[in-house]
Amino acid sequence: MGTENVFHALVACKSAEKVWKLAHFDDDIRAAHSQDILSILHAMKRLRKRDDLELLVTIFWVKWNARNQMIFKGKRETPQIMVAKAEALIAAYKRVHSPDEACSETEQKAPPQKWNPPQAGFVKVNTDAAICFEKNIVGLGAVIRNDLGHVTAAAIKVAKFHGDVSYA
């Protein structure tokens, strides 16, 4: 095995290629014909919208973090988890840094609860949903953790609210 470089770790290795395909960046990254991250960012700025660039940069960070987890702790993350983490990070950042867009008038806050792990060998799926009646949208989230409390998968989705809580 040759020496690894940043471009290979984030863009060209098999794991990275799977991540880019899942995030629908694979064609544009191949079309960039680049061997450095900065050139890819410049190419993507011309081809994609701001939201896409935010996801691209966040995936770079998540991919590098996953690489370090594998090298230093022997923990592997699937491409699906990496993309889900990047999407969740962006959504959380926007939620915290966009108070004007929050639906605070009808917001109901539940008291914090302590998470209890499942039995050994099992996973636990935690879900939640929130409705913003003013904007007619619903936010859905799910986190899957093993018996050690490690996240094995996470997902979020914002969807149009159709007026029925059971639909959310």
Side-chain angles (χ1 to χ4, degrees):
M1 177 192 270
T3 52
E4 178 186 53
N5 63 34
V6 173
F7 182 83
H8 176 79
L10 297 180
V11 178
C13 74
K14 294 289 182 196
S15 171
E17 288 176 351
K18 290 176 184 175
V19 168
W20 298 124
K21 185 172 179 136
L22 284 169
H24 306 289
F25 282 104
D26 54 328
D27 290 337
D28 289 337
I29 286 178
R30 265 195 307 276
H33 299 294
S34 192
Q35 290 297 311
D36 68 274
I37 304 297
L38 188 57
S39 297
I40 288 176
L41 290 171
H42 283 296
M44 292 298 164
K45 187 174 182 188
R46 287 190 305 273
L47 297 169
R48 298 289 193 114
K49 295 178 183 174
R50 181 185 171 123
D51 288 348
D52 291 335
L53 290 175
E54 290 171 355
L55 180 60
L56 177 80
V57 171
T58 306
I59 288 173
F60 280 147
W61 183 86
V62 168
K63 179 72 179 102
W64 188 259
N65 187 280
R67 171 206 172 269
N68 288 344
Q69 290 292 318
M70 184 193 64
I71 289 172
F72 299 113
K73 294 184 179 178
K75 296 179 181 178
R76 291 192 180 269
E77 287 190 353
T78 66
Q80 293 87 349
I81 288 178
M82 286 185 243
V83 172
K85 278 186 177 181
E87 291 170 342
L89 280 168
I90 292 168
Y93 179 87
K94 287 181 177 180
R95 199 169 42 250
V96 170
H97 289 86
S98 300
D100 296 340
E101 304 219 0
C103 293
S104 57
E105 291 177 26
T106 59
E107 188 176 296
Q108 297 176 359
K109 293 194 177 193
Q113 297 177 351
K114 182 179 180 293
W115 184 81
N116 295 310
Q119 293 177 319
F122 286 81
V123 296
K124 187 172 192 177
V125 180
N126 295 108
T127 61
D128 198 6
I131 301 169
C132 180
F133 293 101
E134 291 84 8
K135 294 184 179 186
N136 210 31
I137 58 173
V138 61
L140 309 168
V143 176
I144 302 173
R145 295 182 192 198
N146 64 18
D147 56 314
L148 300 174
H150 297 131
V151 175
T152 59
I156 59 165
K157 180 169 178 82
V158 176
K160 186 164 178 58
F161 179 60
H162 294 283
D164 183 2
V165 173
S166 64
Y167 182 81

